[in-house]
Amino acid sequence: MNYFHYQDNELYCEQVPVQKIVKQVGTPAYIYSHETLQRHFQAFESALSPIKHLLCYAVKTNSNIAILNLLAKWGAGMDIVSGGELYRALQAGTPPNKIVYAGVGKTADEIALALQSGILMFNVESRAELNLIDKIAGDLGRKAPVALRINPDVDPLTHPYISTGLKKNKFGISFKQALDEYLAAALLLHLEIIGIHKHIGSQITTVGPYMESVNKIVELVQRLRQNGIDIRYLNLGGGLGITYNEEKPPSPQQLAETLIPLLSPLSNCTVIMEPGRSIAGNSGILVTKVLYCKQGEEKNFTIVDAGMNDLVRPSLYNAYHHIQPLQIKERGEWLTDVVGPICESGDFLAKDRKLAKLEAGELLAVMSAGSYGFSMSSNYNSRPRAVEVLVKGDKFQVIRRRESYNDLIMGEMILNL
Ligand code: LLP
């Protein structure tokens, strides 16, 4: 569900013609819909309303502080994975006691900063990390609230690069070692064990992997309780998929209706979920301008002004993003690759796509680009990063200005030795 639609053959974001925004801010441009974000967040809130819960938006999916600020105002907590994300979440007004911190490689400085900020808990991914957090907490005269991230060895049936809950993945503590690790953690004086965490992967489009992993975690929590370890927070991670092409993922409501009965043995726990893509993914588009069209010997190319530095998902995961013109007109169609200006053959937004034959200067919308779009963008080929705009009703505002050439060299210095 989203609030991008055609009216009089022109693409609108909510009540604003996208072309009107682009005339003002140029291309490439990320454009987000406030109403879509709100609707998706509320869908999770109401799905989980029968149980004690906290939604922690996964900051990495789209970390613009305007978006974090909206979510914080709607009551969201944040799931973070770095000191930078902690900084963003706090700047955006998130109460620290709604922040959970995952990631296999937290540094000592990041841990100390998070402890001093008063976050809700660390999702700890190894024995070595438990020991370090314990030591830092001791040095600071504090107790660190922790959950252990358990790797339940369940196949999320998604792209291998975004599957995280298999034995071979680097994430979490293995299911088999979980009890021993909890018992070891319980002996550390400066830790307070309060939860359990799992996140098995991203863009999951069926309930099966969720059910399997939740069943395993519930059983484990019962075993922990028998061993004197009380768990108050049950963090089920993120991962719910969206429709990019023809996927039909369950809605938050359907997911909750499936999972809540499985959680009944642990009814006194607060359930945390960490949705990212299912909130922001379909709330954003990337608008790009056609620069040239080229008929090659084997292939046709539509060359646009957005590249893999702006949206890396097609290059990195062979991901599909629907691409459509901002204006619907009578045009011929052709089979074309949509490619960017970057000097890499892997720089494409679409391959062998049936698309309108456009002219230079025409505009295209790359759909479902609100998640892992701008947040994964880079300056490769010394390309300034795109502008970000948020639309609310009939108004819009730049929420991150386009980078300038000067931004590109900011912080760099000519050698003067
Ligand atoms: N929680 C944890 C611990 C995570 O690692 C992630 C995502 C999430 C929550 C949010 O997952 P979501 O609800 O968005 O699926 N760049 C890839 C996706 C990487 C996801 C990494 N972790 C992509 O563009 O598909």
Side-chain angles (χ1 to χ4, degrees), residues 21-34:
I21 303 173
V22 170
K23 266 198 186 132
Q24 195 169 312
V25 304
T27 56
Y30 274 98
I31 297 176
Y32 308 116
S33 151
H34 177 280

Side-chain angles (χ1 to χ4, degrees), residues 58-114:
V59 171
K60 64 177 84 67
T61 209
N62 184 325
S63 40
N64 187 294
I65 59 165
I67 289 177
L68 302 186
N69 172 255
L70 288 174
L71 283 151
K73 278 190 192 144
W74 298 331
M78 302 283 158
D79 153 49
I80 60 161
V81 289
S82 68
E85 288 193 350
L86 173 62
Y87 183 75
R88 283 181 176 278
L90 294 174
Q91 288 292 311
T94 316
N97 64 1
K98 287 187 176 177
I99 296 177
V100 294
Y101 187 175
V104 292
K106 304 175 190 82
T107 66
D109 285 349
E110 288 176 317
I111 292 167
L113 191 65

Side-chain angles (χ1 to χ4, degrees), residues 56 58 60-61 79-81 102-103 123 125 149 161-162 164 171 197-199 201-204 210 235 237-241 244 274-279 312-313 316-317 319 371-373 376:
C56 291
K60 64 177 84 67
T61 209
D79 153 49
I80 60 161
V81 289
N123 292 322
E125 309 226 9
R149 176 172 181 174
Y161 287 9
I162 54 176
T164 52
F171 297 98
H197 175 237
K198 66 105 190 150
H199 169 79
S202 199
Q203 186 56 13
I204 302 171
Y210 276 103
N235 186 335
L240 183 60
Y244 286 101
E274 305 170 331
R277 190 190 319 259
S278 47
I279 290 183
V312 76
R313 301 194 70 258
L316 192 58
Y317 316 112
S371 275
Y372 308 109
M376 291 181 81

Side-chain angles (χ1 to χ4, degrees), residues 288-294 299-308 315 323 336-342 344-352 355 364 383:
T288 182
K289 186 167 74 185
V290 176
L291 299 175
Y292 305 98
C293 290
K294 173 155 101 171
K299 282 207 156 207
N300 301 318
F301 297 100
T302 302
I303 302 164
V304 299
D305 68 355
M308 65 190 284
S315 310
I323 299 185
T336 179
D337 284 10
V338 181
V339 301
I342 299 260
E344 301 251 2
S345 294
D347 176 29
F348 61 89
L349 298 175
K351 287 226 154 157
D352 299 316
L355 204 68
L364 286 170
R383 288 168 46 82

Side-chain angles (χ1 to χ4, degrees), residues 3 67 71 78 133 136 170 222 243 296 305 316 328 378 407:
Y3 291 87
I67 289 177
L71 283 151
M78 302 283 158
I133 295 177
I136 295 171
K170 68 177 175 180
Q222 287 169 313
T243 304
D305 68 355
L316 192 58
I328 299 178
S378 77
D407 290 329

